[in-house]
């Protein structure tokens, strides 16, 4: 009918003018590299109404920096340290009925500052490649989505958080026909202050951030004749439980799960053709990995169910 409480349609426009660059120099027999970089920018985000007018606008002038140092301890190993920054541009809000006290027609960028130490190297005459890093990320002026008592959504800045963790990766070829690779990571991602407007509580874990993740990939290659190669492989991934969102209780938990994929490839040695059998999620896991919706209507997302596949490839 004609009793519309709220009506809006339109689009958005974004523009940015930036100057960026990076300087580096080598010293100590070219084993130490120092890098300094930066970006100066001016961004503008407009919300455009159906009649072409600008309903809301956000403008920002800012700069971000990067500094790093890497030390080549040998021809096959390197240690590094870096500090880098990132940003996500702000945007505008359209007018809504009965706006709350913290409502504004525009909100600014949120920023990250990353501190990282790491190692990359090859060991045992090239049979093992290993990467390791430890990091701490400071997140300020978090862009959040707020909801009024009437159910209208608007954006704003609020709160800060940190992320810190350790990541390890390796690839090993103990014999020429066998390759084993894997990774493991530990992650702590928490809020550092309360944001009452969004029910955010100091110490809450950030949504979708599992404490532990890991993977293992095993691939073996066998010559079955002078012209054919058989390659079985398996990929196993693990993801720890995490929270679906924020909230006072934060009681909606996303399941931990392990996924197993199997592959068997028969191929000609000249690469002319191949036949591959695949089995994805062979254990039939059905974890809830995402949930969303509006008010009482909830929707849930899981991973692809157990799937068997066959592929034939021919080069002409």
């Amino acid at each position: 009918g004609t009793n519309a409480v709220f009506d809006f349609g339109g689009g958005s426009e974004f523009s940015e003018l930036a100057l960026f660059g990076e300087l580096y120099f080598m010293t100590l027999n070219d084993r130490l590299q120092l890098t300094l970089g930066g970006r100066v920018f001016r961004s503008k985000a407009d919300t455009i109404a159906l009649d072409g007018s600008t309903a809301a606008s956000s403008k920002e002038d800012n700069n971000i920096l990067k500094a790093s140092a890497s030390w080549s301890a040998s021809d096959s190993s390197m240690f590094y340290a870096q500090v880098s920054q990132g940003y996500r541009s702000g945007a505008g809000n359209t007018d809504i009925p009965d706006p709350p006290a913290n409502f504004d027609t525009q909100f600014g960028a949120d920023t990250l500052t990353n501190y990282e130490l790491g190692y990359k190297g090859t060991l045992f005459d090239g049979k093992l490649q290993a990467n390791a890093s430890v990091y701490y990320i400071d997140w300020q002026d978090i862009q959040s989505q707020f909801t009024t008592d009437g159910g209208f959504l608007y954006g704003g800045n609020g709160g800060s958080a940190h992320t810190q963790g350790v990541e390890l990766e390796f690839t090993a070829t103990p014999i020429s026909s066998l390759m084993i690779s894997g990774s493991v990571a530990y992650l702590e991602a928490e809020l550092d202050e309360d944001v009452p407007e969004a029910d955010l509580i100091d110490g809450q874990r950030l949504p979708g951030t599992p404490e532990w993740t890991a993977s293992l990939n095993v691939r073996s290659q066998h010559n079955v004749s002078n012209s054919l190669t058989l390659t079985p492989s398996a990929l196993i991934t693990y993801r720890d439980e995490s929270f679906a969102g924020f909230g006072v209780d934060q009681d909606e938990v996303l399941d931990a799960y392990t996924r197993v994929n199997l592959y068997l490839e028969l191929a000609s040695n000249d690469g002319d053709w191949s036949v591959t059998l695949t089995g994805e999620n062979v254990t039939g896991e059905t974890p809830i990995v995402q949930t969303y919706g509006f008010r009482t209507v909830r929707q849930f997302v899981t991973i692809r169910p157990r799937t068997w596949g066959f592929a034939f490839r021919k080069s002409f």
Side-chain angles (χ1 to χ4, degrees):
T2 58
N3 296 325
V5 176
F6 178 76
D7 187 13
F8 174 79
S12 60
E13 293 182 357
F14 176 81
S15 62
E16 180 179 270
L17 178 66
L19 174 66
F20 55 91
E22 192 170 274
L23 299 173
Y24 73 92
F25 66 95
M26 309 290 293
T27 185
L28 299 180
N29 295 323
D30 289 342
R31 291 199 175 273
L32 177 63
Q33 177 176 312
L34 303 177
T35 303
L36 180 64
R39 180 185 182 95
V40 180
F41 62 92
R42 170 175 293 176
S43 63
K44 181 181 179 183
D46 293 329
T47 302
I48 308 301
L50 285 177
D51 61 4
S53 63
T54 301
S57 181
S58 175
K59 300 179 181 179
E60 187 161 18
D61 295 329
N62 213 328
N63 60 81
I64 56 176
L65 299 174
K66 171 188 174 182
S68 67
S70 61
W71 166 257
S72 297
S74 67
D75 293 337
S76 59
S77 64
M78 183 262 287
F79 296 89
Y80 69 90
Q82 72 170 357
V83 178
S84 56
Q85 295 179 313
Y87 76 100
R88 178 172 50 177
S89 295
N93 285 314
T94 58
D95 291 330
I96 57 176
D98 300 322
N102 69 327
F103 178 83
D104 198 340
T105 56
Q106 65 178 11
F107 56 93
D110 51 358
T111 60
L112 294 175
T113 303
N114 172 61
Y115 308 88
E116 183 176 352
L117 299 172
Y119 166 82
K120 297 180 179 182
T122 302
L123 308 170
F124 305 113
D125 296 325
K127 292 184 177 181
L128 176 64
Q129 180 179 335
N131 302 326
S133 64
V134 57
Y135 61 89
Y136 180 91
I137 299 175
D138 181 31
W139 188 8
Q140 295 291 327
D141 300 320
I142 299 174
Q143 289 185 12
S144 303
Q145 190 176 73
F146 304 102
T147 306
T148 69
D149 294 338
F152 295 98
L153 303 177
Y154 63 98
N157 298 98
S160 61
H162 74 270
T163 298
Q164 59 186 359
V166 179
E167 295 181 351
L168 302 173
E169 299 175 337
F170 76 91
T171 299
T173 52
I175 56 177
S176 59
S177 61
L178 178 64
M179 184 189 75
I180 304 172
S181 62
S183 65
V184 61
Y186 173 78
L187 172 66
E188 177 190 278
E190 296 180 350
L191 288 170
D192 292 332
E193 58 183 296
D194 296 341
V195 184
E197 302 92 330
D199 291 333
L200 307 184
I201 301 173
D202 184 11
Q204 267 189 333
R205 275 171 53 187
L206 301 185
T209 56
E211 284 191 330
W212 291 97
T213 54
S215 68
L216 180 65
N217 188 7
V218 181
R219 178 183 175 93
S220 181
Q221 209 170 52
H222 306 274
N223 292 323
V224 295
S225 71
N226 292 332
S227 59
L228 295 177
T229 300
L230 185 67
T231 307
S233 59
L235 173 62
I236 304 172
T237 57
Y238 171 77
R239 181 181 173 92
D240 203 2
E241 69 178 19
S242 61
F243 290 111
F246 286 120
V248 176
D249 297 321
Q250 202 175 55
D251 57 357
E252 198 165 24
V253 177
L254 302 178
D255 299 330
Y257 67 94
T258 301
R259 177 164 49 187
V260 179
N261 295 346
L262 301 176
Y263 309 91
L264 182 63
E265 180 189 69
L266 180 66
S268 61
N269 289 341
D270 59 7
D272 187 51
W273 63 269
S274 67
V275 175
T276 307
L277 300 177
T278 64
E280 298 185 4
N281 190 16
V282 295
T283 58
E285 296 289 307
T286 56
I288 296 175
V289 297
Q290 183 181 2
T291 176
Y292 59 93
F294 181 69
R295 295 185 178 177
T296 60
V297 181
R298 305 298 297 167
Q299 297 184 18
F300 301 92
V301 179
T302 186
I303 63 175
R304 171 179 274 197
R306 183 187 294 113
T307 305
W308 302 102
F310 169 84
F312 173 74
R313 181 186 59 82
K314 177 71 172 72
S315 297
F316 297 96

